[in-house]
């Protein structure tokens, strides 16, 4: 059969006839053949595949090989053995070189045929070694791409083990650096780009499967592009790797590069120049992001000589890339940054001025929407530069004439762009890299360095630190020898209180307190972090107390039975010996309150009660004024559990112009409760048909709600009223009454029966949009009362139901068709009113942005204690929970009177904590933040109970307390003293170094000062805050 086939394919018969005969030969593969016949067919088909003179013979070889290999698998397994594959890879086949991609094509086809055979494992081991050898020989793009395709289809052939895998990735990076295009025609360039994409795609797969190989690969990449060898120019194809580097690593990598003393200025300049050359690589993503980040990083560490040299060397090349639409977006971004940051001299701008007019005319001739959009951006950039470097009319007149019909930015916008783009304004992007010759600000407070989108933690920590009584309790704990989270918090609080540094990097505490589901270097919800932190501290203390109690009991038994010697043991998490396992934890003492839930069956009037602990109350926004239209906005899920309904609802964002319901007054503020289900006007409480009296009650409440919408701005009081509103369980949410033995309409109420020392209120601003499937932010302004009274109905008798377990937070997010039931007056309320407990505002955490996954957090705070000068003893005009309606609609609220009085009597009392920066501010600034910056809204509020010292004696007899804080433990004080000495040494060294640089530098440009005038919600030039990075990565060594 092999002789017939060989003669046929080389004969001069017509091609159609040959195809018919070949089809017959392929079909005959199903017939039994001897081992020798099979081997002959395999040898012939292999020769045709690898040495066939024309495409027809090569195609015939592939068809015959596949057919006979499939039906005679055992014989093919014996033929396609280790010796054959090794010979092909090392010696080739006849005249065919071993570096021909056809060799890999044949091997891949053979692997497919024996995938189910045991011998394939031996071939996988062979190919793992050969693949590494091949990439070390710097294969050309076609062969390297074919190898990567084989390895992608058969990942079992990838080198295994950490050393071999690292070596493979590093050598593959080196191979890409040697790639060169073999032609200049479009088809050849497209093929070249596809081959490079194939290789970079394999590297991405390896990095994803084995993350440990990413960092060494990037080290190898930097080593290649920073080499000063003029005889070798790395290929621009290396740009294809950038798009596969996670953007989350950008801050850490750039910080490591710019601060590594092993990276010389010449190497950094070379690497940056080559990265800018990568802008010409088509389809490469994020190249401009990395280039701009590196430019900002160099500015942050004041390496201005590199920036000047690179800008002057590459500015014209970057400008020329604007002619090519495929790479225009990235080139324009880099050009804008280079020009706007190069503000000490017009030299860079004047290098591109002669080329601007021709480019503008080219954009106009295109007439494409994309070209018009780019022209507008370019025009704005040119206007900024001409404004900054005025006085050259002979150069600028042709440009002004060319862009005269384009929009011109305002002077205010130009100034803003220039101020934000200067090299000196980049100083906040990497604050931990700077040796700033300044200590604490005039506030005496210490900032927290942003470790990479950790502003959510920084804002919460500063709010907790400014909770004076809590801070003093934490600092007074005896935690020697304990490695708990509370110990780390004590360490952090001690440094915030006593360090001389302007800002402290909380790396250890961040790693210890970060929830495991939080992605590092990405923005998170500060409220979720706060709950997790308090829960961790509570559970940790409770566990340690239980262990301490068990050890104490064991030691007492040992004393009675074995010895009379006293045994002294250190008490953990206690300022005095533990009084038993039932003693409340510090978190419970400071932030713990209790809610009593009551459910009353509206049929038999039987009641069920339960107490729950909470650390914060989550306040949903009041519904919009048009109550009839809110139903479709709800997303609700309910389930029957523990004899009453557990609700999970999501609040939809209100349209911007819509006025929410301002205040819901329920029984004069007495006996009001909460939990977030949404209510429906059409639902009745007792029977299938609503009675007239009940409809009248609902209508009265609707009329009342419509009278309350006259006030434009919601207040925390309004949200708290909405929280403390009764709820009718009906329809799908009916309550299963054990007495009635059936589902019944019921009324659910919640009352605060035990108030916390610190009341934490979370405003539920993030709502789920069911149409777009995203979480939107409610940007409504909310008035913050400086003094608030919380209605507390303390329990006078034991509850009939056993108290529930510890719960961190009670979330209420109520909207939808059942919303109107919130207005239903309670029929089971008692006559007595709860006691009003006064609270004063302590801290406000602000979120700047439009979604929970992005933006920036900062906080306002002040020192507030239960008594003393900062305790705010202005109680005669404390804010009531519910105002009379005429006061709401016509007069200034008591809250405003109290706020004005307190704020004027205590100037410079408030502080603004914005990561590393701490400044004085006022309560008026806190109240007006949203009106000044619409995306900046209060999110988490801390209120301190008045006239309460938490059982903590602040008058120390030993005179060692500082500002009312207790003296530190010796090991903490020693650590702070050591760090302060180190800080002074750093200042001295920095001063000497900067003086030496100023005297010897060839460039006279040395920007001075730091621009700290960003808006409160700014995360700095990097858009997410920079900062120290992670200690787990350390620095890169290249």
């Amino acid at each position: 059969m092999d002789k017939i086939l060989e003669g046929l394919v080389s004969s001069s018969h017509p091609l159609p006839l040959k195809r018919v005969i070949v089809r017959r030969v392929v079909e005959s593969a199903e017939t039994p053949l001897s081992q020798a016949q099979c081997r002959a067919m395999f040898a012939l088909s292999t020769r045709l595949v690898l040495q066939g003179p024309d495409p027809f013979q090569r195609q015939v070889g592939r068809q015959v090989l596949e057919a006979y290999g499939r039906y005679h698998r055992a014989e093919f397994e014996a033929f396609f053995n280790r010796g054959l594959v090794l010979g092909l890879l090392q010696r080739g086949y006849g005249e065919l070189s071993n570096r021909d991609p056809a060799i890999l094509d044949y091997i891949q086809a053979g692997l497919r045929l024996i995938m189910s055979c045991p011998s394939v494992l031996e071939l996988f081991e062979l190919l793992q070694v050969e693949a590494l050898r091949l990439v070390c020989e710097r294969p050309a793009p076609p062969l390297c791409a074919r190898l990567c395709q084989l390895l992608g289809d058969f990942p079992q052939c990838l080198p295994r083990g950490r050393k071999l895998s690292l070596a493979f990735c590093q050598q593959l990076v080196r191979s890409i650096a040697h790639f060169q295009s073999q032609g200049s025609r479009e088809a050849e360039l497209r093929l070249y780009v596809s081959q490079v994409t194939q290789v970079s795609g394999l590297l991405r797969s390896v990095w994803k499967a084995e993350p440990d190989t990413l960092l060494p690969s990037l080290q190898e990449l930097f080593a290649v592009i920073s080499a000063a060898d003029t005889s070798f120019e790395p290929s621009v194809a290396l740009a294809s790797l950038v798009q596969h580097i996670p953007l989350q690593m950008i801050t850490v990598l750039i910080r490591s590069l710019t601060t590594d003393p092993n990276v010389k200025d010449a190497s950094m300049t070379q690497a940056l120049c080559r990265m800018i050359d990568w802008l010409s690589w088509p389809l490469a993503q994020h190249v401009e992001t990395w280039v701009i980040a590196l430019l900002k990083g160099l500015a942050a560490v004041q390496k201005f000589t590199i920036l000047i040299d690179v800008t002057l060397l590459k500015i014209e090349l970057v400008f020329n890339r604007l002619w090519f639409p495929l790479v225009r977006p990235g080139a324009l971004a880099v050009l804008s940054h280079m020009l706007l940051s190069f503000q000490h001299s017009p030299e860079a701008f004047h290098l591109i001025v002669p080329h601007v007019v021709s480019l503008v005319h080219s954009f106009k001739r295109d007439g494409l929407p994309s070209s018009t959009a780019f022209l507008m951006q370019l025009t704005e950039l040119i206007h900024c530069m001409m404004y900054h470097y005025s006085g050259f009319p002979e150069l600028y007149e042709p440009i002004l004439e060319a862009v005269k019909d384009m929009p011109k930015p305002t002077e205010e916008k130009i100034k803003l762009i220039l101020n934000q783009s200067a090299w000196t304004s980049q100083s906040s992007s990497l604050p931990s890299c700077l040796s700033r010759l300044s200590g604490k600000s005039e506030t005496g407070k210490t900032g927290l360095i942003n470790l990479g989108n950790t502003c959510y933690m920084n804002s919460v920590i500063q709010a907790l630190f400014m909770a004076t009584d809590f801070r003093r309790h934490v600092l007074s704990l005896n935690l020697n020898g304990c490695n708990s989270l509370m110990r780390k918090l004590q360490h952090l609080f001690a440094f915030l209180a006593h360090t001389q540094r302007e800002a402290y990097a909380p790396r250890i505490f961040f790693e210890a307190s970060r929830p495991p589901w939080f992605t590092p270097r990405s923005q998170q919800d500060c409220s979720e972090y706060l709950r997790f932190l308090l829960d961790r501290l509570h559970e940790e203390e409770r566990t340690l107390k239980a262990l301490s109690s068990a050890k104490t009991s064991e030691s007492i038994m040992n004393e009675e039975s074995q010895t009379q010697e006293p045994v002294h043991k250190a008490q953990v998490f206690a300022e005095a010996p533990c009084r038993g396992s039932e003693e409340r934890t510090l978190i419970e003492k400071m932030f713990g309150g209790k809610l009593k839930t009551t459910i009353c069956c509206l049929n038999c009037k039987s009641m069920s009660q339960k107490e729950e602990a909470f650390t914060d109350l989550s306040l949903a926004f009041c519904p919009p004024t048009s109550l009839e239209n809110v139903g479709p906005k709800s997303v609700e899920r309910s389930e029957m559990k523990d004899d009453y309904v557990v609700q999970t609802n999501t609040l939809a964002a209100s349209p911007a112009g819509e006025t929410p319901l301002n205040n819901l007054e329920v029984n004069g503020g007495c006996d009001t409760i909460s939990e977030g289900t949404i209510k429906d006007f059409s639902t009745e409480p007792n029977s299938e048909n609503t009675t007239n009296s009940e409809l009248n009650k609902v209508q009265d409440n609707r009329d009342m709600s419509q009278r309350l919408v006259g006030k434009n701005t919601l207040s925390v009081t309004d949200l708290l009223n909405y929280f403390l509103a009764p709820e009718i369980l009906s329809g799908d949410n009916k309550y299963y009454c054990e007495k009635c033995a059936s589902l019944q309409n019921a009324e659910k109420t919640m009352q605060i029966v035990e108030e916390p020392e610190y009341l934490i209120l979370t405003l539920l601003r993030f709502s789920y949009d069911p149409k777009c499937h995203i979480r939107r932010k409610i940007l409504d302004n909310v008035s913050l009362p400086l003094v608030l009274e919380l209605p507390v109905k303390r329990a006078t008798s034991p509850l009939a139901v056993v108290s529930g377990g510890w719960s961190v937070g009670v979330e209420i997010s109520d909207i939808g068709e059942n919303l109107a039931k919130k207005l239903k007056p309670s029929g089971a309320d008692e006559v007595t009113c709860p006691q009003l407990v006064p609270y004063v505002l302590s801290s406000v955490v602000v979120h700047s942005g439009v979604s929970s996954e992005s933006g920036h957090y900062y906080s306002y705070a002040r020192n507030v204690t239960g008594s003393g000068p900062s305790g705010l003893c202005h109680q005669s005009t404390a804010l009531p929970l519910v105002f009379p309606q005429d006061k709401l609609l016509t007069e200034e609220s008591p809250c405003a009177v109290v706020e004005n009085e307190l704020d004027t009597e205590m100037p410079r009392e408030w502080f603004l904590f914005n990561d590393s920066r701490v400044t004085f501010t006022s309560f008026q600034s806190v109240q007006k933040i949203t009106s000044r910056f619409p995306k900046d809204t209060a999110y988490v509020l801390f209120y301190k109970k008045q006239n309460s010292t938490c059982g903590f004696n602040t008058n120390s007899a030993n005179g060692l307390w500082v500002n009312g804080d207790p003296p530190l433990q010796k090991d903490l004080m020693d650590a702070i003293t050591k760090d302060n000495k180190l800080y002074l040494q750093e200042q001295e060294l920095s001063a000497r170094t900067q003086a030496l640089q100023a005297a010897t530098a060839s460039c006279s440009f040395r920007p001075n000062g730091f621009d700290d005038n960003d808006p409160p919600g700014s995360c700095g030039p990097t858009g997410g805050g920079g900062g120290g990075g992670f200690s787990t990565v350390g620095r890169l060594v290249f």
Side-chain angles (χ1 to χ4, degrees), residues 682-915:
S682 63
T683 313
E684 47 78 26
N686 280 319
S687 64
E688 296 298 327
N689 298 314
T690 306
T691 63
N692 292 333
S693 62
E694 289 159 350
L695 285 175
N696 291 336
K697 291 180 181 179
V698 173
Q699 185 61 41
D700 290 342
N701 282 278
R702 179 185 295 188
D703 295 339
M704 180 272 293
S705 68
Q706 292 175 349
R707 292 197 301 271
L708 294 177
V709 301
K711 195 171 65 170
N712 292 328
T713 303
L714 281 171
S715 71
V716 174
T717 305
D718 300 324
L719 303 187
L720 195 54
N721 276 334
Y722 183 59
F723 180 87
L724 296 174
E727 172 186 355
I728 299 299
L729 304 179
S730 60
D732 292 339
N733 293 327
K734 282 186 177 182
Y735 165 67
Y736 181 83
C737 178
E738 292 185 351
K739 185 174 181 181
C740 299
S742 62
L743 293 174
Q744 295 292 336
N745 292 335
E747 183 181 68
K748 180 179 178 180
T749 60
M750 293 180 68
Q751 296 171 335
I752 299 175
V753 295
E754 184 177 318
E755 74 278 13
E757 292 296 330
Y758 285 93
L759 175 65
I760 302 177
L761 301 177
T762 301
L763 309 186
L764 295 179
R765 292 191 172 275
F766 301 111
S767 60
Y768 180 71
D769 186 343
K771 293 183 179 180
C772 302
H773 302 290
I774 59 174
R775 293 181 71 199
R776 297 189 183 277
K777 181 180 178 182
I778 301 173
L779 297 172
D780 295 354
N781 191 10
V782 176
S783 175
L784 308 178
L786 192 58
V787 180
L788 179 69
E789 288 188 340
L790 183 71
V792 179
K793 188 168 184 179
R794 294 185 175 87
T796 57
S797 61
L799 289 175
V801 182
V802 178
S803 175
W806 177 266
S807 170
V808 181
V810 178
E811 282 200 24
I812 313 299
S813 54
D814 304 330
I815 59 158
E817 61 182 2
N818 292 326
L819 174 62
K821 297 178 191 174
K822 278 283 188 187
L823 306 179
K824 173 76 172 62
S826 172
D829 286 342
E830 299 175 7
V831 179
T832 59
C833 292
Q835 178 182 352
L836 297 179
V837 179
Y839 281 82
V840 292
L841 186 61
S842 171
S843 303
V844 180
V845 178
V846 176
H847 177 262
S848 174
V850 295
S851 73
S852 60
E853 292 78 20
S854 62
H856 179 58
Y857 288 99
Y858 56 98
S859 57
Y860 293 92
R862 60 174 177 165
N863 287 312
V864 176
T865 57
S867 60
S870 62
L872 306 180
C873 301
H874 303 265
Q875 302 167 26
S876 59
T877 56
L879 176 69
L881 180 60
V882 181
F883 295 117
Q885 295 180 24
D886 58 338
K887 296 289 183 182
L888 280 175
L889 297 176
T890 60
E891 298 181 7
E892 184 179 8
S893 68
C895 175
V897 177
V898 176
E899 290 163 1
N900 293 335
E901 177 185 355
L902 293 177
D903 209 51
T904 54
E905 290 185 2
M906 281 166 271
R908 301 170 74 85
E909 174 195 27
W910 285 87
F911 304 92
L912 170 59
F913 296 91
N914 193 344
D915 285 341

Side-chain angles (χ1 to χ4, degrees), residues 338-366:
M338 295 176 76
L339 286 178
L340 291 172
S341 60
F342 198 95
Q343 294 188 15
H344 68 285
S345 164
E347 186 177 0
F349 177 53
H350 287 177
L351 286 175
I352 69 166
V353 163
H355 313 293
V356 171
V357 173
S358 57
L359 184 64
V360 170
H361 290 325
S362 174
F363 281 173
K364 288 183 176 180
R365 286 193 301 269
D366 284 349

Side-chain angles (χ1 to χ4, degrees), residues 456 510 514-520 522 524-526 528-529 532:
Y456 67 90
F510 172 73
R514 177 175 60 87
W517 59 88
F518 275 19
T519 304
S522 64
Q524 304 293 344
D525 189 333
C526 76
E528 184 180 4
Y529 172 80
F532 177 84

Side-chain angles (χ1 to χ4, degrees), residues 430-543:
L430 295 170
S432 64
C433 303
L434 301 179
S435 299
R436 298 177 63 170
L437 300 180
S438 61
K440 285 189 177 181
S441 66
E442 60 177 349
T443 64
K445 302 296 181 183
T446 304
L448 286 172
I449 291 173
N450 193 313
L451 304 178
N453 282 329
T454 58
C455 55
Y456 67 90
M457 177 191 71
N458 292 349
S459 58
V460 165
I461 293 302
Q462 294 287 17
L464 290 173
F465 178 81
M466 295 298 287
T468 308
D469 289 341
F470 176 66
R471 176 181 74 245
R472 291 174 178 173
H473 277 80
V474 172
L475 291 176
S476 67
L477 296 175
N478 181 11
L479 302 174
N480 289 335
C482 179
N483 192 32
S484 63
L485 182 60
M486 183 65 80
R487 170 67 173 176
K488 293 179 175 63
L489 181 63
Q490 184 186 58
H491 185 276
L492 176 55
F493 277 5
F495 268 81
L496 287 177
H498 299 284
T499 184
Q500 293 184 9
R501 296 181 183 273
E502 182 182 34
Y504 179 76
R507 294 185 182 89
I508 296 176
F509 186 81
F510 172 73
E511 292 296 337
S513 65
R514 177 175 60 87
W517 59 88
F518 275 19
T519 304
R521 311 202 64 75
S522 64
Q523 189 59 276
Q524 304 293 344
D525 189 333
C526 76
S527 175
E528 184 180 4
Y529 172 80
L530 174 60
R531 291 182 180 182
F532 177 84
L533 175 61
L534 296 182
D535 187 42
R536 275 278 309 276
L537 293 172
H538 164 75
E539 293 295 336
E540 184 182 71
E541 180 180 353
R542 192 168 63 174
T543 301

Side-chain angles (χ1 to χ4, degrees), residues 212 230 241 286 335 394 773 791 970:
D212 289 346
T230 57
L241 300 179
H286 310 312
L335 178 72
E394 72 283 2
H773 302 290
K970 184 179 183 301

Side-chain angles (χ1 to χ4, degrees), residues 107 194 222 237 301 327 358 499 556 584 685 803 818 980 1011 1016 1022:
I107 292 175
S194 67
F222 185 80
V301 295
V327 298
S358 57
T499 184
I556 293 175
R584 295 201 306 167
S803 175
N818 292 326
N980 284 339
D1011 182 8
T1022 57

Side-chain angles (χ1 to χ4, degrees), residues 223-268:
V224 170
I225 64 176
S226 62
D229 184 7
T230 57
S231 62
F232 170 67
E233 184 62 28
S235 172
V236 181
L238 288 170
S240 63
L241 300 179
V242 175
Q243 60 190 326
H244 303 313
I245 305 174
L247 289 178
Q248 294 86 345
M249 299 179 63
I250 193 166
T251 303
V252 173
L253 292 176
I254 295 301
R255 181 186 63 85
S256 301
L257 284 175
T258 55
T259 59
D260 191 339
N262 295 325
V263 179
K264 304 303 180 184
D265 286 0
S267 298
M268 182 63 72

